Amino acid sequence: MVELYGGQRSRRDLAAHAGSFGQFAGVRLMTLGDGVERGIRMLEFRSGTGLRFTVLIDRAFDIADCDYRGMAVGWHSPAGFRHPGLHEYEGEGGLAWLRSFSGLMVTCGLDHILFMHDEPADHYVYGPRKTVSHSIHGRIGTIPGKLTGYGERWDGDELVLWCEGSVIQGAVFGEHLELIRRIEITAGTNDIRISDRVVNRGFYRTPHMYCYHINVGHPVLAEGSRYIAPIREVVWAAHAGDDFRKQSAGYRTMPAPQLGFHEQVWQHELGADAAGEVPVALVNDALGLGFQVTTRKDQFPCQYEWQNLQAGQYALGIEPSTNHVLGKGYAREKGELIWLEHGDERAYQSTFSILTSAEEIAASEGRIRAIAAQPDEDYPEPSGRHLPIGGRA
């Protein structure tokens, strides 16, 4: 049954009340037509609860807009949803990615995440190419995808809205990796399910790193909003030391937008429940509105918290990752870098949930605290202990 308008509705009942189920919920393909967005193909999902989100086919099937009953959840940056044809990956010393950085979810990878890095290119067996140069957070998020299907699927009286596609990141004498992504939501719910597979289609042994930059904006993020996570240990903070309290922004309770704010990044060691799941939430108690991300510890062993609290850029990032925040060089040195041979693949399953009431927020917080009770202070001293991760040398 589909839970809509305060009741359980059968397929037959809903069909009797409209000529098309699109009156209530659905998936629609469209193309953006103006400004830096011009030419991007986009899928708009409406679940029937008041939840709407969009998937940018031509930007790696990332989620751009997300709003619930007119209240924004996803972040819009000044860069906008820029067409990938305008992107210069190598520009600005490797920071040009920031000119395409916007939306609820931006995928980072497939062979590199985090800051710029040069590494030996000997695994690609091409003499003239001595090094591989990576810009910040990798290439995948600005590569157009191939849409293989989308629509509505009935399973008895349950309706699933879905899309699926693939994105190729490839080069001659370089990597040949494919991201296969499926996004689903059951009509009448507020849970977005994302299933990814990253496959090495090439015949070179290729490194793999992966991260979701999940960006929550106002009004979920506001003065007093709370970051809730099963934190066993605060591992690292980019601003630790003399500047730890300088900006008056701890990890737990968010301030209003600031002037002259420098981004803060934390890494937390998070616990998982008995099923291996790791839930993290940002909640606005005053509005009774929150956003929860659930990932798997065996897929994303690390997680960062990104605070961009600058006025005009105001965002909080939840970032599940395959590797520690110290980057690719550290991962390689410690034997934690994932290497994929031909045909090897990695799978990732995640759920994004809108929390729509004080009761749902309380239930989420209860679940999280049952795993681990996060520090009660806003400025816990980072331990510096980055637990070993099982990569493949």
Side-chain angles (χ1 to χ4, degrees):
M1 304 290 279
V2 180
E3 186 172 341
L4 283 179
Y5 317 126
Q8 297 287 328
R9 312 289 292 271
S10 69
R11 181 177 184 179
R12 177 184 175 88
D13 176 49
L14 288 168
H17 282 82
S20 167
F21 191 77
Q23 181 172 317
F24 313 121
V27 189
R28 182 164 57 178
L29 175 63
M30 56 189 73
T31 302
L32 298 172
D34 204 9
V36 297
E37 304 172 339
R38 183 178 180 186
I40 293 179
R41 293 172 298 158
M42 180 178 81
L43 291 165
E44 181 187 62
F45 283 71
R46 295 176 299 113
S47 76
T49 66
L51 174 60
R52 183 191 76 96
F53 64 94
T54 60
V55 175
L56 302 183
I57 299 165
D58 292 316
R59 287 182 46 157
F61 291 86
D62 278 338
I63 299 176
D65 310 285
C66 181
D67 49 76
Y68 176 75
R69 296 188 176 180
M71 293 181 287
V73 177
W75 174 60
H76 287 211
S77 85
F81 302 124
R82 195 180 191 202
H83 191 283
L86 302 176
H87 186 64
E88 298 176 7
Y89 179 76
E90 313 292 347
E92 298 188 53
L95 290 173
W97 178 85
L98 298 172
R99 296 192 179 276
S100 295
F101 180 29
S102 189
L104 177 69
M105 174 183 174
V106 177
T107 304
C108 306
L110 299 171
D111 59 341
H112 174 78
I113 61 172
L114 298 161
F115 275 105
M116 298 76 74
H117 180 72
D118 289 348
E119 63 178 315
D122 52 309
H123 48 290
Y124 294 132
V125 199
Y126 183 58
R129 191 184 194 189
K130 304 299 182 185
T131 61
V132 180
S133 294
H134 299 284
S135 296
I136 187 172
H137 280 319
R139 292 174 166 83
I140 192 64
T142 55
I143 299 177
K146 179 179 181 180
L147 179 63
T148 54
Y150 73 97
E152 298 91 26
R153 184 187 77 247
W154 284 97
D155 183 6
D157 282 328
E158 183 176 87
L159 176 63
V160 175
L161 316 176
W162 66 278
C163 73
E164 186 168 287
S166 67
V167 191
I168 296 291
Q169 179 185 322
V172 177
F173 306 125
E175 76 277 9
H176 181 185
L177 298 171
E178 181 180 19
L179 167 63
I180 302 164
R181 172 166 289 170
R182 185 177 182 89
I183 298 175
E184 294 185 344
I185 186 167
T186 301
T189 75
N190 295 310
D191 298 323
I192 304 167
R193 302 183 298 274
I194 301 170
S195 298
D196 285 352
R197 291 165 52 220
V198 177
V199 186
N200 184 1
R201 298 299 187 192
F203 287 83
Y204 294 118
R205 182 171 177 264
T206 301
H208 168 55
M209 301 180 82
Y210 207 47
C211 175
Y212 295 153
H213 215 301
I214 304 163
N215 311 296
V216 189
H218 186 70
V220 179
L221 173 63
E223 184 175 10
S225 293
R226 296 184 298 129
Y227 175 86
I228 309 170
I231 298 174
R232 298 199 185 281
E233 191 172 30
V234 175
V235 175
W236 183 91
H239 55 297
D242 293 341
D243 293 335
F244 198 35
R245 297 172 181 261
K246 181 178 179 180
Q247 299 190 111
S248 299
Y251 89 93
R252 186 180 58 159
T253 306
M254 302 306 132
Q258 307 290 302
L259 294 177
F261 190 89
H262 188 283
E263 69 164 1
Q264 294 184 171
V265 180
W266 311 70
Q267 181 176 342
H268 307 301
E269 178 59 34
L270 303 185
D273 65 15
E277 293 186 334
V278 181
V280 175
L282 181 71
V283 303
N284 184 326
D285 295 300
L287 288 179
L289 183 66
F291 177 74
Q292 178 181 280
V293 174
T294 304
T295 55
R296 293 194 54 83
K297 186 71 173 179
D298 58 346
Q299 297 172 351
F300 287 120
C302 301
Q303 191 149 163
Y304 326 135
E305 175 189 356
W306 177 65
Q307 294 172 317
N308 181 12
L309 305 177
Q310 166 67 26
Q313 311 250 330
Y314 195 51
L316 185 287
I318 298 170
E319 299 183 60
S321 172
T322 56
N323 294 91
H324 291 300
V325 73
L326 298 179
K328 196 168 194 175
Y330 178 90
R332 195 163 187 152
E333 175 189 340
K334 296 294 184 180
E336 297 175 350
L337 187 61
I338 300 166
W339 289 89
L340 300 178
E341 303 285 354
H342 171 72
D344 285 350
E345 65 178 69
R346 287 288 177 115
Y348 304 90
Q349 289 85 36
S350 307
T351 302
F352 298 172
S353 303
I354 312 301
L355 308 175
T356 65
S357 66
E359 292 74 21
E360 290 186 2
I361 289 172
S364 172
E365 186 167 8
R367 178 191 178 195
I368 290 169
R369 290 191 179 278
I371 300 169
Q374 68 190 70
D376 288 331
E377 56 180 315
D378 281 323
Y379 300 92
E381 193 67 29
S383 69
R385 289 187 288 267
H386 293 85
L387 297 181
I389 302 171
R392 289 195 298 177

